[in-house]
Amino acid sequence: MELHAGEIVSSKAGRDKGKYFVVMETIDAQWVMICDGKLRKVDRPKKKKIKHLAKTGTTAAYVAEKLKLGERVTNPDLRRALSGMENNVDV
């Protein structure tokens, strides 16, 4: 499974199981950095294995565009992108 910056994922394992995050960067084939703008803020992203994440099929287009252009992504940007996902807990 390959993840790209800006994709919305849900956690399948760990303390954060069932929560939604935005992929901030891909480190390598096994690891990504994720944030949610609440508990995991932009200045302290979480390093998580890809096998512990599930794709939602949704991309935060605004966040992905900012990451692609090298612009600063803020915590409110992430919270806004994830606001619709909180109602869909399917993990």
Side-chain angles (χ1 to χ4, degrees):
M1 176 169 71
E2 189 175 328
L3 296 174
H4 303 285
E7 281 190 75
I8 297 176
V9 295
S10 64
S11 176
K12 296 191 300 185
R15 290 181 205 194
D16 53 11
K17 182 177 180 179
K19 294 187 179 172
Y20 291 94
F21 297 92
V22 175
V23 175
M24 299 303 286
E25 73 173 292
T26 302
I27 297 172
D28 58 26
Q30 290 186 341
W31 296 92
V32 293
M33 299 298 273
I34 57 174
C35 293
D36 68 354
K38 293 178 191 170
L39 297 174
R40 278 294 167 181
K41 299 195 177 194
V42 175
D43 58 338
R44 280 187 6 136
K46 180 176 180 73
K47 183 177 177 182
K48 189 133 176 123
K49 282 195 170 192
I50 292 175
K51 71 179 182 178
H52 295 150
L53 297 170
K55 281 187 170 187
T56 61
T58 308
T59 301
Y62 178 68
V63 175
E65 188 64 29
K66 284 183 101 172
L67 289 169
K68 181 179 175 186
L69 296 174
E71 295 177 9
R72 186 170 183 269
V73 176
T74 62
N75 292 315
D77 291 338
L78 296 176
R79 290 192 300 264
R80 193 175 310 117
L82 295 172
S83 66
M85 299 303 291
E86 297 302 321
N87 299 332
N88 302 332
V89 178
D90 58 351
V91 173

